[in-house]
Amino acid sequence: MEIQKDNKIAMISTNNKTEWSIMDIGILQTGAINVPIYPTITVEDYAYVLNNSGAT
């Protein structure tokens, strides 16, 4: 996936499962930064987070 150190990775999860923790640890181990996004936010909020977080 060509994740580089200091990349910001947006992650949307529908609930707090083991998979979320595995993805979070995996992102952090690459040196990237996790940008968690709640699945219940509005479309406008999604746009704001994705446009202003620098997520790739």
Side-chain angles (χ1 to χ4, degrees):
M1 294 181 66
E2 299 183 21
I3 296 172
Q4 303 294 319
K5 184 179 185 309
D6 296 325
N7 281 160
K8 294 173 183 77
I9 310 297
M11 184 170 68
I12 303 166
S13 180
T14 56
N15 52 25
N16 194 9
K17 289 183 149 184
T18 303
E19 290 86 352
W20 189 95
S21 296
I22 293 168
M23 287 294 297
D24 185 48
I25 292 168
I27 290 169
L28 296 173
Q29 284 184 334
T30 65
I33 301 163
N34 187 9
V35 179
I37 301 175
Y38 289 102
T40 57
I41 61 176
T42 65
V43 172
E44 292 81 13
D45 289 337
Y46 274 115
Y48 180 84
V49 171
L50 293 172
N51 289 326
N52 293 289
S53 67
T56 55

Short mmCIF file of all heavy atoms in Angstrom, two decimals:
data_model
loop_
_atom_site.label_atom_id
_atom_site.label_comp_id
_atom_site.label_asym_id
_atom_site.label_seq_id
_atom_site.Cartn_x
_atom_site.Cartn_y
_atom_site.Cartn_z
N MET A 1 0.82 -1.20 0.00
CA MET A 1 0.00 0.00 0.00
C MET A 1 0.86 1.26 0.00
O MET A 1 0.33 2.34 -0.03
CB MET A 1 -0.95 0.00 1.19
CG MET A 1 -2.00 -1.11 1.11
SD MET A 1 -3.16 -1.11 2.50
CE MET A 1 -3.99 0.42 2.24
N GLU A 2 2.16 1.10 0.07
CA GLU A 2 3.09 2.23 0.03
C GLU A 2 2.85 3.24 1.14
O GLU A 2 2.93 4.45 0.93
CB GLU A 2 3.06 2.89 -1.33
CG GLU A 2 3.47 1.96 -2.45
CD GLU A 2 3.52 2.63 -3.81
OE1 GLU A 2 3.62 3.86 -3.86
OE2 GLU A 2 3.45 1.91 -4.80
N ILE A 3 2.55 2.77 2.34
CA ILE A 3 2.38 3.67 3.48
C ILE A 3 3.76 4.10 3.94
O ILE A 3 4.65 3.29 4.15
CB ILE A 3 1.62 2.96 4.62
CG1 ILE A 3 0.22 2.61 4.16
CG2 ILE A 3 1.59 3.84 5.86
CD1 ILE A 3 -0.55 1.74 5.14
N GLN A 4 3.93 5.40 4.10
CA GLN A 4 5.20 5.97 4.51
C GLN A 4 5.08 6.54 5.92
O GLN A 4 3.99 6.87 6.38
CB GLN A 4 5.62 7.08 3.55
CG GLN A 4 5.72 6.64 2.10
CD GLN A 4 6.83 5.63 1.88
OE1 GLN A 4 7.91 5.77 2.43
NE2 GLN A 4 6.54 4.61 1.08
N LYS A 5 6.22 6.71 6.55
CA LYS A 5 6.27 7.33 7.88
C LYS A 5 5.61 8.71 7.81
O LYS A 5 5.81 9.46 6.85
CB LYS A 5 7.72 7.45 8.33
CG LYS A 5 7.88 7.99 9.74
CD LYS A 5 9.35 8.05 10.11
CE LYS A 5 9.60 8.45 11.52
NZ LYS A 5 8.99 9.59 12.04
N ASP A 6 4.83 9.02 8.80
CA ASP A 6 4.11 10.29 8.95
C ASP A 6 2.93 10.47 8.01
O ASP A 6 2.31 11.53 8.01
CB ASP A 6 5.06 11.50 8.84
CG ASP A 6 6.08 11.52 9.96
OD1 ASP A 6 5.73 11.12 11.08
OD2 ASP A 6 7.23 11.93 9.71
N ASN A 7 2.60 9.46 7.16
CA ASN A 7 1.34 9.52 6.41
C ASN A 7 0.20 9.50 7.41
O ASN A 7 0.30 8.90 8.48
CB ASN A 7 1.17 8.33 5.50
CG ASN A 7 1.96 8.40 4.21
OD1 ASN A 7 2.18 7.38 3.61
ND2 ASN A 7 2.39 9.55 3.77
N LYS A 8 -0.88 10.12 7.06
CA LYS A 8 -2.09 10.08 7.90
C LYS A 8 -3.09 9.18 7.19
O LYS A 8 -3.43 9.40 6.04
CB LYS A 8 -2.63 11.48 8.11
CG LYS A 8 -1.68 12.33 8.93
CD LYS A 8 -2.14 13.77 8.98
CE LYS A 8 -1.15 14.61 9.73
NZ LYS A 8 0.04 14.92 8.94
N ILE A 9 -3.56 8.15 7.91
CA ILE A 9 -4.45 7.15 7.35
C ILE A 9 -5.82 7.27 8.01
O ILE A 9 -5.94 7.10 9.23
CB ILE A 9 -3.91 5.72 7.58
CG1 ILE A 9 -2.45 5.60 7.15
CG2 ILE A 9 -4.80 4.69 6.91
CD1 ILE A 9 -2.20 5.84 5.68
N ALA A 10 -6.84 7.60 7.23
CA ALA A 10 -8.20 7.70 7.76
C ALA A 10 -8.79 6.30 7.87
O ALA A 10 -8.67 5.49 6.96
CB ALA A 10 -9.06 8.57 6.86
N MET A 11 -9.42 6.03 9.01
CA MET A 11 -10.02 4.72 9.23
C MET A 11 -11.42 4.90 9.82
O MET A 11 -11.59 5.57 10.84
CB MET A 11 -9.16 3.89 10.18
CG MET A 11 -9.68 2.50 10.37
SD MET A 11 -8.55 1.41 11.25
CE MET A 11 -8.53 2.12 12.88
N ILE A 12 -12.40 4.31 9.14
CA ILE A 12 -13.78 4.35 9.61
C ILE A 12 -14.15 2.96 10.07
O ILE A 12 -13.94 1.99 9.35
CB ILE A 12 -14.73 4.80 8.48
CG1 ILE A 12 -14.30 6.16 7.93
CG2 ILE A 12 -16.17 4.82 8.96
CD1 ILE A 12 -14.94 6.52 6.62
N SER A 13 -14.69 2.86 11.26
CA SER A 13 -15.08 1.56 11.79
C SER A 13 -16.49 1.67 12.36
O SER A 13 -16.81 2.64 13.05
CB SER A 13 -14.11 1.10 12.87
OG SER A 13 -14.50 -0.14 13.38
N THR A 14 -17.31 0.65 12.08
CA THR A 14 -18.69 0.70 12.54
C THR A 14 -18.85 0.38 14.02
O THR A 14 -19.86 0.68 14.61
CB THR A 14 -19.57 -0.26 11.72
OG1 THR A 14 -19.01 -1.58 11.81
CG2 THR A 14 -19.64 0.17 10.28
N ASN A 15 -17.86 -0.28 14.59
CA ASN A 15 -17.93 -0.55 16.03
C ASN A 15 -16.53 -0.86 16.56
O ASN A 15 -15.59 -0.98 15.80
CB ASN A 15 -18.91 -1.69 16.36
CG ASN A 15 -18.64 -2.93 15.55
OD1 ASN A 15 -17.53 -3.15 15.10
ND2 ASN A 15 -19.66 -3.72 15.34
N ASN A 16 -16.43 -0.96 17.85
CA ASN A 16 -15.14 -1.15 18.49
C ASN A 16 -14.83 -2.65 18.56
O ASN A 16 -15.12 -3.32 19.53
CB ASN A 16 -15.17 -0.54 19.90
CG ASN A 16 -13.79 -0.41 20.48
OD1 ASN A 16 -12.80 -0.61 19.81
ND2 ASN A 16 -13.72 -0.06 21.74
N LYS A 17 -14.22 -3.15 17.49
CA LYS A 17 -13.91 -4.57 17.40
C LYS A 17 -12.40 -4.78 17.50
O LYS A 17 -11.62 -3.84 17.43
CB LYS A 17 -14.36 -5.12 16.04
CG LYS A 17 -15.84 -5.24 15.87
CD LYS A 17 -16.11 -5.86 14.52
CE LYS A 17 -17.37 -6.67 14.56
NZ LYS A 17 -17.62 -7.35 13.31
N THR A 18 -12.03 -6.03 17.61
CA THR A 18 -10.61 -6.40 17.63
C THR A 18 -9.92 -5.93 16.37
O THR A 18 -8.76 -5.49 16.40
CB THR A 18 -10.47 -7.93 17.77
OG1 THR A 18 -11.16 -8.34 18.95
CG2 THR A 18 -9.03 -8.35 17.84
N GLU A 19 -10.63 -5.98 15.23
CA GLU A 19 -10.04 -5.57 13.95
C GLU A 19 -9.58 -4.12 13.99
O GLU A 19 -8.59 -3.76 13.38
CB GLU A 19 -11.04 -5.79 12.81
CG GLU A 19 -11.30 -7.23 12.50
CD GLU A 19 -12.40 -7.86 13.35
OE1 GLU A 19 -12.88 -7.21 14.31
OE2 GLU A 19 -12.75 -9.02 13.05
N TRP A 20 -10.34 -3.26 14.70
CA TRP A 20 -9.96 -1.86 14.80
C TRP A 20 -8.61 -1.74 15.49
O TRP A 20 -7.73 -1.00 15.03
CB TRP A 20 -11.01 -1.05 15.57
CG TRP A 20 -10.75 0.43 15.51
CD1 TRP A 20 -11.29 1.30 14.63
CD2 TRP A 20 -9.84 1.18 16.33
NE1 TRP A 20 -10.78 2.57 14.85
CE2 TRP A 20 -9.88 2.51 15.90
CE3 TRP A 20 -9.00 0.85 17.38
CZ2 TRP A 20 -9.13 3.52 16.48
CZ3 TRP A 20 -8.24 1.87 17.96
CH2 TRP A 20 -8.32 3.18 17.51
N SER A 21 -8.43 -2.47 16.58
CA SER A 21 -7.17 -2.42 17.32
C SER A 21 -6.00 -2.93 16.47
O SER A 21 -4.91 -2.37 16.49
CB SER A 21 -7.26 -3.25 18.60
OG SER A 21 -8.22 -2.71 19.46
N ILE A 22 -6.24 -4.00 15.72
CA ILE A 22 -5.20 -4.55 14.85
C ILE A 22 -4.80 -3.54 13.79
O ILE A 22 -3.61 -3.32 13.53
CB ILE A 22 -5.67 -5.87 14.22
CG1 ILE A 22 -5.82 -6.94 15.30
CG2 ILE A 22 -4.73 -6.32 13.11
CD1 ILE A 22 -6.56 -8.19 14.86
N MET A 23 -5.79 -2.90 13.17
CA MET A 23 -5.48 -1.88 12.15
C MET A 23 -4.74 -0.69 12.77
O MET A 23 -3.80 -0.18 12.18
CB MET A 23 -6.77 -1.39 11.48
CG MET A 23 -7.38 -2.40 10.53
SD MET A 23 -6.33 -2.72 9.10
CE MET A 23 -6.29 -1.12 8.34
N ASP A 24 -5.18 -0.25 13.94
CA ASP A 24 -4.54 0.88 14.61
C ASP A 24 -3.07 0.57 14.89
O ASP A 24 -2.19 1.37 14.58
CB ASP A 24 -5.28 1.21 15.90
CG ASP A 24 -4.74 2.44 16.60
OD1 ASP A 24 -4.54 3.47 15.93
OD2 ASP A 24 -4.50 2.37 17.81
N ILE A 25 -2.80 -0.59 15.45
CA ILE A 25 -1.42 -0.98 15.76
C ILE A 25 -0.60 -1.10 14.47
O ILE A 25 0.55 -0.66 14.42
CB ILE A 25 -1.39 -2.29 16.57
CG1 ILE A 25 -1.97 -2.03 17.97
CG2 ILE A 25 0.02 -2.85 16.67
CD1 ILE A 25 -2.26 -3.28 18.76
N GLY A 26 -1.20 -1.69 13.44
CA GLY A 26 -0.49 -1.82 12.17
C GLY A 26 -0.12 -0.47 11.57
O GLY A 26 1.00 -0.28 11.09
N ILE A 27 -1.06 0.47 11.61
CA ILE A 27 -0.78 1.82 11.09
C ILE A 27 0.34 2.46 11.90
O ILE A 27 1.29 3.02 11.33
CB ILE A 27 -2.07 2.68 11.14
CG1 ILE A 27 -3.07 2.19 10.10
CG2 ILE A 27 -1.74 4.15 10.93
CD1 ILE A 27 -4.46 2.79 10.25
N LEU A 28 0.27 2.38 13.21
CA LEU A 28 1.28 3.00 14.06
C LEU A 28 2.66 2.35 13.88
O LEU A 28 3.68 3.03 13.94
CB LEU A 28 0.84 2.96 15.52
CG LEU A 28 -0.42 3.77 15.84
CD1 LEU A 28 -0.86 3.53 17.27
CD2 LEU A 28 -0.20 5.24 15.58
N GLN A 29 2.69 1.03 13.65
CA GLN A 29 3.97 0.34 13.47
C GLN A 29 4.67 0.75 12.18
O GLN A 29 5.89 0.65 12.08
CB GLN A 29 3.79 -1.17 13.51
CG GLN A 29 3.58 -1.70 14.91
CD GLN A 29 3.49 -3.20 14.94
OE1 GLN A 29 3.11 -3.85 13.98
NE2 GLN A 29 3.86 -3.77 16.08
N THR A 30 3.92 1.23 11.20
CA THR A 30 4.55 1.71 9.97
C THR A 30 5.11 3.12 10.14
O THR A 30 5.79 3.63 9.26
CB THR A 30 3.56 1.73 8.79
OG1 THR A 30 2.53 2.68 9.07
CG2 THR A 30 2.97 0.36 8.54
N GLY A 31 4.77 3.76 11.26
CA GLY A 31 5.20 5.14 11.50
C GLY A 31 4.17 6.14 11.01
O GLY A 31 4.39 7.34 11.07
N ALA A 32 3.03 5.63 10.52
CA ALA A 32 1.97 6.52 10.05
C ALA A 32 1.09 6.93 11.24
O ALA A 32 1.28 6.46 12.36
CB ALA A 32 1.13 5.82 8.99
N ILE A 33 0.15 7.80 10.97
CA ILE A 33 -0.72 8.34 12.01
C ILE A 33 -2.16 7.96 11.66
O ILE A 33 -2.62 8.19 10.54
CB ILE A 33 -0.58 9.87 12.08
CG1 ILE A 33 0.87 10.24 12.39
CG2 ILE A 33 -1.55 10.48 13.09
CD1 ILE A 33 1.22 11.67 12.08
N ASN A 34 -2.86 7.39 12.64
CA ASN A 34 -4.25 6.99 12.44
C ASN A 34 -5.16 8.20 12.63
O ASN A 34 -5.05 8.94 13.61
CB ASN A 34 -4.62 5.89 13.44
CG ASN A 34 -5.99 5.31 13.18
OD1 ASN A 34 -6.63 5.61 12.19
ND2 ASN A 34 -6.44 4.49 14.09
N VAL A 35 -6.09 8.38 11.68
CA VAL A 35 -7.12 9.41 11.80
C VAL A 35 -8.45 8.67 11.92
O VAL A 35 -9.08 8.33 10.92
CB VAL A 35 -7.13 10.35 10.57
CG1 VAL A 35 -8.22 11.39 10.69
CG2 VAL A 35 -5.77 11.00 10.38
N PRO A 36 -8.87 8.35 13.15
CA PRO A 36 -10.12 7.61 13.31
C PRO A 36 -11.33 8.49 13.02
O PRO A 36 -11.34 9.68 13.37
CB PRO A 36 -10.10 7.17 14.76
CG PRO A 36 -9.22 8.15 15.45
CD PRO A 36 -8.23 8.63 14.43
N ILE A 37 -12.32 7.91 12.35
CA ILE A 37 -13.53 8.66 12.00
C ILE A 37 -14.73 7.86 12.48
O ILE A 37 -14.85 6.67 12.19
CB ILE A 37 -13.62 8.89 10.48
CG1 ILE A 37 -12.38 9.66 9.99
CG2 ILE A 37 -14.90 9.63 10.13
CD1 ILE A 37 -12.34 9.83 8.49
N TYR A 38 -15.63 8.51 13.20
CA TYR A 38 -16.86 7.87 13.65
C TYR A 38 -17.77 7.63 12.45
O TYR A 38 -17.93 8.51 11.60
CB TYR A 38 -17.59 8.74 14.67
CG TYR A 38 -16.92 8.82 15.99
CD1 TYR A 38 -16.18 9.94 16.36
CD2 TYR A 38 -17.00 7.77 16.90
CE1 TYR A 38 -15.55 10.02 17.59
CE2 TYR A 38 -16.37 7.83 18.13
CZ TYR A 38 -15.66 8.96 18.46
OH TYR A 38 -15.03 9.03 19.68
N PRO A 39 -18.41 6.47 12.36
CA PRO A 39 -19.28 6.19 11.21
C PRO A 39 -20.62 6.91 11.26
O PRO A 39 -21.34 6.94 10.27
CB PRO A 39 -19.50 4.67 11.32
CG PRO A 39 -19.33 4.37 12.76
CD PRO A 39 -18.29 5.34 13.26
N THR A 40 -20.94 7.54 12.38
CA THR A 40 -22.25 8.16 12.52
C THR A 40 -22.24 9.67 12.27
O THR A 40 -23.27 10.32 12.44
CB THR A 40 -22.80 7.90 13.94
OG1 THR A 40 -21.85 8.39 14.89
CG2 THR A 40 -23.03 6.42 14.17
N ILE A 41 -21.11 10.22 11.84
CA ILE A 41 -21.06 11.67 11.60
C ILE A 41 -21.74 12.00 10.26
O ILE A 41 -21.99 11.12 9.44
CB ILE A 41 -19.61 12.20 11.65
CG1 ILE A 41 -18.73 11.56 10.56
CG2 ILE A 41 -19.02 11.98 13.03
CD1 ILE A 41 -17.32 12.12 10.49
N THR A 42 -21.99 13.26 10.06
CA THR A 42 -22.67 13.70 8.83
C THR A 42 -21.71 13.71 7.65
O THR A 42 -20.48 13.68 7.82
CB THR A 42 -23.24 15.12 9.00
OG1 THR A 42 -22.15 16.04 9.17
CG2 THR A 42 -24.19 15.21 10.19
N VAL A 43 -22.27 13.81 6.47
CA VAL A 43 -21.46 13.89 5.24
C VAL A 43 -20.55 15.12 5.30
O VAL A 43 -19.38 15.06 4.89
CB VAL A 43 -22.37 13.94 4.00
CG1 VAL A 43 -21.58 14.23 2.74
CG2 VAL A 43 -23.15 12.66 3.86
N GLU A 44 -21.07 16.20 5.83
CA GLU A 44 -20.27 17.43 5.95
C GLU A 44 -19.09 17.21 6.89
O GLU A 44 -17.99 17.72 6.64
CB GLU A 44 -21.14 18.59 6.44
CG GLU A 44 -22.18 19.05 5.45
CD GLU A 44 -23.45 18.18 5.45
OE1 GLU A 44 -23.63 17.35 6.38
OE2 GLU A 44 -24.24 18.33 4.51
N ASP A 45 -19.33 16.48 7.97
CA ASP A 45 -18.25 16.19 8.92
C ASP A 45 -17.19 15.29 8.28
O ASP A 45 -16.00 15.48 8.49
CB ASP A 45 -18.78 15.56 10.20
CG ASP A 45 -19.56 16.54 11.05
OD1 ASP A 45 -19.34 17.77 10.92
OD2 ASP A 45 -20.39 16.09 11.85
N TYR A 46 -17.62 14.29 7.51
CA TYR A 46 -16.67 13.45 6.77
C TYR A 46 -15.79 14.31 5.88
O TYR A 46 -14.57 14.18 5.86
CB TYR A 46 -17.38 12.42 5.89
CG TYR A 46 -17.76 11.14 6.56
CD1 TYR A 46 -19.09 10.79 6.74
CD2 TYR A 46 -16.79 10.25 7.00
CE1 TYR A 46 -19.45 9.60 7.34
CE2 TYR A 46 -17.15 9.06 7.61
CZ TYR A 46 -18.48 8.74 7.77
OH TYR A 46 -18.83 7.56 8.36
N ALA A 47 -16.42 15.20 5.12
CA ALA A 47 -15.68 16.07 4.21
C ALA A 47 -14.69 16.93 4.97
O ALA A 47 -13.54 17.08 4.56
CB ALA A 47 -16.65 16.94 3.42
N TYR A 48 -15.11 17.48 6.10
CA TYR A 48 -14.23 18.33 6.90
C TYR A 48 -13.01 17.55 7.39
O TYR A 48 -11.87 18.01 7.24
CB TYR A 48 -14.99 18.93 8.09
CG TYR A 48 -14.12 19.82 8.93
CD1 TYR A 48 -13.92 21.14 8.59
CD2 TYR A 48 -13.47 19.33 10.07
CE1 TYR A 48 -13.09 21.96 9.34
CE2 TYR A 48 -12.64 20.13 10.83
CZ TYR A 48 -12.46 21.45 10.46
OH TYR A 48 -11.63 22.25 11.21
N VAL A 49 -13.25 16.39 7.99
CA VAL A 49 -12.14 15.60 8.53
C VAL A 49 -11.19 15.18 7.42
O VAL A 49 -9.97 15.33 7.54
CB VAL A 49 -12.67 14.36 9.29
CG1 VAL A 49 -11.54 13.43 9.67
CG2 VAL A 49 -13.44 14.79 10.53
N LEU A 50 -11.74 14.67 6.33
CA LEU A 50 -10.87 14.18 5.24
C LEU A 50 -10.13 15.31 4.55
O LEU A 50 -8.97 15.14 4.15
CB LEU A 50 -11.70 13.36 4.25
CG LEU A 50 -12.25 12.06 4.82
CD1 LEU A 50 -13.20 11.41 3.83
CD2 LEU A 50 -11.13 11.10 5.20
N ASN A 51 -10.76 16.46 4.41
CA ASN A 51 -10.11 17.60 3.74
C ASN A 51 -9.10 18.30 4.62
O ASN A 51 -8.18 18.95 4.11
CB ASN A 51 -11.14 18.59 3.25
CG ASN A 51 -11.94 18.07 2.09
OD1 ASN A 51 -11.42 17.33 1.26
ND2 ASN A 51 -13.20 18.42 2.03
N ASN A 52 -9.24 18.21 5.95
CA ASN A 52 -8.38 18.98 6.83
C ASN A 52 -7.39 18.14 7.63
O ASN A 52 -6.54 18.70 8.32
CB ASN A 52 -9.22 19.82 7.79
CG ASN A 52 -9.96 20.90 7.05
OD1 ASN A 52 -9.37 21.85 6.59
ND2 ASN A 52 -11.27 20.75 6.91
N SER A 53 -7.48 16.83 7.54
CA SER A 53 -6.56 15.98 8.33
C SER A 53 -5.29 15.65 7.57
O SER A 53 -4.31 15.21 8.18
CB SER A 53 -7.28 14.68 8.70
OG SER A 53 -7.52 13.90 7.54
N GLY A 54 -5.30 15.83 6.27
CA GLY A 54 -4.13 15.45 5.48
C GLY A 54 -4.07 13.95 5.24
O GLY A 54 -3.03 13.43 4.87
N ALA A 55 -5.18 13.26 5.46
CA ALA A 55 -5.21 11.80 5.28
C ALA A 55 -5.00 11.43 3.82
O ALA A 55 -5.47 12.13 2.92
CB ALA A 55 -6.53 11.24 5.78
N THR A 56 -4.26 10.34 3.63
CA THR A 56 -4.03 9.84 2.27
C THR A 56 -4.88 8.63 2.01
O THR A 56 -5.35 7.99 2.91
CB THR A 56 -2.55 9.47 2.07
OG1 THR A 56 -2.18 8.53 3.07
CG2 THR A 56 -1.66 10.67 2.16
#
